[in-house]
Amino acid sequence: MDPATTHASSPGDARTTAPRALATEAVHAGRDDLARHGLHAPPIDLSTTYPPYDSRGEAARLDAFAATGAAMQGPPVYGRLGNPTVARFETALARLEGTEAAVAFASGMAALTAVLLVRAAAGLRHVVAVRPLYGCSDHLLTAGLLGSEVTWTGPAGIADALRPDTGLVLVESPANPTLAELDLRAVAHGCGSVPLLVDNTFATPVLQRPAGQGARLVLHSATKYLGGHGDVMAGVVACDEEFAGRLRRVRFATGGVLHPLAGYLLLRGLATLPVRVRAASANAAELARRLADDPRVTRVHYPRIGGAMVSFEVRGDPHAVVGGVRLITPAVSLGSVDTLIQHPASISHRVVDADDRRGAGVSDRLLRLSAGLEDVEDLWADLDRALGERPAPTRR
């Protein structure tokens, strides 16, 4: 499925059945009903509870939710069951990813935890995963905090790693922080009937839509590009309706709900997602080109599909580079309008065993940069200064 096109037959209140471009869906998905209600901006519903006068009908609706986890029709009941503002964001994200549904959570890790709990409830606690992953995702699996067991393998070894109790295959492409890419169609083929979860945080639906390549589950740390301004924490899983029902039941039971204000900010963030990703990607590509030609840099990682992330290994002290920036922000996270830089071995992947970390290509000299929307010349001037003195040319 072409990432530039999505279909209005996906969830939501679309007023057309014709395919719409991604940029159009980013602006209108989840908002198609507003004009009919005399609104322009989506409303924010902050209620935690809603007054029912038909308690018998309410009981029947709760019974139906308990049985299937289907999104509740009619008036809301309680904030842990669902929220109208959050539902708008879920509808929009599902449309952008080309899935039947999406379920939002309080963070990306809460979203991944819910997926693992759904599979564990079916007696399927074994996970096959490919490194590198985001450090906390790696830690959640390796530490067995949810009673899960993980087998780490390369993409070619997925089929051989499957067991009768395998409930999930987990990959990230481009991967955090090395930006390694996988052939998602080939990975999905190796999974057989086991659900494939693709962490699509770095690519976003602007660059790829894993559901069209065989993934059953698409995970986002919505804190990053979907929000896009460094002011909201959230996670979301785009998937088919049957799995979404299971996720909603886990969310209701565990309470990992997304706040309505966060849902509103995410829906607003989606409207500019294509513009932001493409502009930041142009900056990243230019910085990657200059870094690749710089003698102070030994290796540059930049995905074939593009994107706003660049990783690079330096000859000198990476901590000095982080401490030397003035315009670029030295901070964990990514996907904001401003450019961020961090040292994965010290922060985002510190919880991963050092040998496992290095084995996955996360060297101690690796820096990860999330390009923002500043002028690229200003970014390069700051990075050039932070990299320090250029080595003297070698005399022959």
Side-chain angles (χ1 to χ4, degrees):
M1 188 178 293
D2 184 352
T5 304
T6 186
H7 294 274
S9 57
S10 301
D13 187 17
R15 287 179 286 179
T16 176
T17 58
R20 303 198 299 197
L22 183 79
T24 303
E25 287 286 37
V27 173
H28 289 279
R31 306 170 180 83
D32 288 301
D33 64 321
L34 293 180
R36 294 198 302 278
H37 294 299
L39 300 171
H40 184 234
I44 307 175
D45 188 333
L46 295 173
S47 296
T48 58
T49 190
Y50 301 84
Y53 288 92
D54 178 11
S55 56
R56 290 188 180 89
E58 204 79 327
R61 291 204 299 150
L62 288 172
D63 287 345
F65 177 85
T68 67
M72 297 188 72
Q73 302 302 311
V77 177
Y78 185 59
R80 198 150 36 86
L81 278 160
N83 172 272
T85 307
V86 172
R88 288 182 179 276
F89 163 66
E90 293 171 330
T91 293
L93 193 277
R95 292 261 286 280
L96 293 180
E97 283 290 3
T99 59
E100 292 179 342
V103 183
F105 294 85
S107 70
M109 291 309 300
L112 177 57
T113 295
V115 172
L116 295 173
L117 289 175
V118 165
R119 303 310 283 159
L124 303 170
R125 295 182 176 273
H126 180 241
V127 178
V128 174
V130 176
R131 280 187 172 122
L133 295 175
Y134 169 53
C136 286
S137 299
D138 188 311
H139 178 66
L140 180 64
L141 295 174
T142 303
L145 297 175
L146 300 176
S148 56
E149 179 185 351
V150 61
T151 297
W152 296 101
T153 186
I158 288 174
D160 291 337
L162 300 179
R163 306 188 325 204
D165 63 338
T166 302
L168 189 71
V169 175
L170 174 58
V171 303
E172 184 175 359
S173 181
N176 187 352
T178 65
L179 305 176
E181 295 173 272
L182 300 175
D183 182 338
L184 295 182
R185 291 188 186 278
V187 168
H189 180 74
C191 294
S193 61
V194 177
L196 170 64
L197 184 152
V198 175
D199 188 328
N200 202 34
T201 298
F202 277 20
T204 80
V206 176
L207 300 180
Q208 73 179 9
R209 299 210 291 176
Q213 301 179 61
R216 185 177 182 188
L217 307 162
V218 182
L219 174 72
H220 286 273
S221 172
T223 307
K224 283 45 174 206
Y225 290 104
L226 303 189
H229 293 76
D231 56 7
V232 59
M233 184 167 287
V236 63
V237 180
C239 56
D240 57 83
E241 176 56 34
E242 190 275 335
F243 206 99
R246 296 172 183 265
L247 289 172
R248 292 185 195 106
R249 282 184 284 175
V250 168
R251 182 177 64 181
F252 170 68
T254 59
V257 296
L258 184 65
H259 192 276
L261 181 57
Y264 171 84
L265 291 172
L266 289 167
L267 185 63
R268 186 174 69 171
L270 290 184
T272 59
L273 178 66
V275 176
R276 287 186 288 102
V277 168
R278 288 165 184 151
S281 296
N283 278 349
E286 177 60 19
L287 292 174
R289 185 189 68 78
R290 297 188 189 190
L291 288 166
D293 291 336
D294 197 299
R296 297 165 293 182
V297 175
T298 61
R299 189 176 183 186
V300 176
H301 307 264
Y302 188 67
R304 291 187 302 274
I305 65 169
M309 300 299 299
V310 182
S311 292
F312 57 99
E313 298 173 39
V314 295
R315 293 188 186 278
D317 181 3
H319 300 285
V321 178
V322 172
V325 295
R326 293 296 177 266
L327 175 66
I328 297 169
T329 304
V332 73
S333 199
L334 55 108
S336 186
V337 292
D338 61 322
T339 300
L340 308 178
I341 193 169
Q342 64 111 349
H343 182 241
S346 295
I347 305 179
S348 64
H349 288 70
R350 190 66 180 177
V351 292
V352 180
D353 177 82
D355 289 338
D356 291 336
R357 188 170 64 230
R358 297 183 186 113
V362 186
S363 80
D364 291 341
R365 293 186 181 273
L366 182 74
L367 293 169
R368 191 193 75 188
L369 184 140
S370 169
L373 303 181
E374 303 95 336
D375 187 280
V376 71
E377 297 299 336
D378 291 329
L379 291 174
W380 177 249
D382 192 44
L383 196 55
D384 181 37
R385 183 171 51 250
L387 284 167
E389 294 291 329
R390 292 175 178 265
T394 303
R395 293 185 179 181
R396 293 185 178 180

